[in-house]
Amino acid sequence: MAWTIDHWVAGRAAWPLIAWALVPGALLALLALRGERIRWPVAAHLATYLVSGAAPLAAFLAAWFVFGNIVSDGNPWPLPYLPVLNPLDLAQAGALLAVGTWFVEVRRRRLPPVAALSLPVAWSVAGAAAFLWANAVLLRTLHHWAGVPLDPGPMLRSDLVQASLSLFWTLLALAAMVVATRRAWRPLWLTGAGLMAVVVGKLLLVDLSNAGTIERIVSFLGVGVLMLVIGYLAPVPPIREGRAE
């Protein structure tokens, strides 16, 4: 499938990369959603297929997800690039959905050792994956729309990239802390507060080095305003008494 797609779209990098996730993702989703309906041999040995058979597929999709976000620019030629609504991002969302569906099904059936993984750890892994993907989407968008080279050196030196990251991370922290305040999820609020601490450190150590540029001025003003919004909308949730749900 990867070779065929590579041939028909003239060797553009994103399309063959997407093909590598289609078959594992489809198999994983099939086992999780319809495994018990495949009478033989899956239904007769469902636990074995869901753990020993499906876990390597989930691990492969996780590795593919990280690899794709690090090395690919998401070029969808001959289609125009749109953030999120492009083939690579849609394929990555599908891969995460397939892994999440499989994990929920394995936990529902209480199949070891996957079912032994605690929900807070699972949510932390999912949050880290979402954070990686969101930042990769931002950097790919700056690459395609603003012409910033998708290389670590030029991106680290780009005022536009640094300002965009500061504002984006602050928005993510704001969203996390507002949700945490409304749902009384103290760990999520602390995660958002930790991200804000990282933003403040970045402003002082990185952004302050070229404070005279328009991008840096916008970054400082934007982060300052959003911090005031956070203080108003997202006070720290109280500590719950008793066992956390």
Side-chain angles (χ1 to χ4, degrees):
M1 184 176 292
W3 180 87
T4 302
I5 292 177
D6 186 29
H7 174 75
W8 284 106
V9 296
R12 297 293 178 174
W15 290 96
L17 178 65
I18 292 169
W20 282 97
L22 295 181
V23 174
L27 286 175
L28 187 64
L30 179 64
L31 289 173
L33 297 175
R34 294 291 185 267
E36 60 186 4
R37 299 185 182 182
I38 305 174
R39 295 185 178 180
W40 190 90
V42 178
H45 309 281
L46 186 58
T48 301
Y49 272 90
L50 282 177
V51 178
S52 300
L57 296 176
F60 175 83
L61 287 175
W64 173 87
F65 176 85
V66 175
F67 177 80
N69 277 311
I70 292 176
V71 305
S72 178
D73 64 355
N75 185 0
W77 185 92
L79 302 176
Y81 181 85
L82 294 175
V84 181
L85 300 178
N86 63 81
L88 179 61
D89 288 332
L90 293 176
Q92 290 181 334
L96 287 181
L97 182 61
V99 174
T101 302
W102 166 76
F103 179 76
V104 170
E105 180 65 15
V106 171
R107 280 190 59 89
R108 185 179 72 83
R109 296 181 178 275
R110 299 181 180 178
L111 300 176
V114 179
L117 184 66
S118 66
L119 280 179
V121 173
W123 279 113
S124 299
V125 173
F131 183 73
L132 171 65
W133 174 75
N135 281 276
V137 171
L138 174 63
L139 294 179
R140 286 193 290 263
T141 302
L142 294 176
H143 169 67
H144 287 284
W145 288 10
V148 180
L150 199 63
D151 293 313
M155 283 201 158
L156 289 175
R157 293 190 296 269
S158 171
D159 293 340
L160 177 61
V161 169
Q162 295 299 333
S164 299
L165 286 175
S166 296
L167 291 173
F168 185 59
W169 290 355
T170 306
L171 287 173
L172 291 179
L174 171 62
M177 296 169 78
V178 168
V179 171
T181 298
R182 294 183 178 180
R183 298 296 182 90
W185 291 345
R186 191 177 178 88
L188 180 60
W189 192 94
L190 293 176
T191 301
L195 183 57
M196 275 306 310
V198 172
V199 172
V200 172
K202 178 178 176 298
L203 288 174
L204 295 176
L205 298 177
V206 179
D207 295 20
L208 195 61
S209 60
N210 291 318
T213 63
I214 296 178
E215 291 85 355
R216 301 301 170 92
I217 294 173
V218 172
S219 175
F220 272 86
L221 293 176
V223 171
V225 171
L226 291 174
M227 289 180 68
L228 293 176
V229 174
I230 290 174
Y232 178 74
L233 296 179
V236 58
I239 299 177
R240 290 185 178 181
E241 296 183 359
R243 187 176 179 178
E245 296 180 357

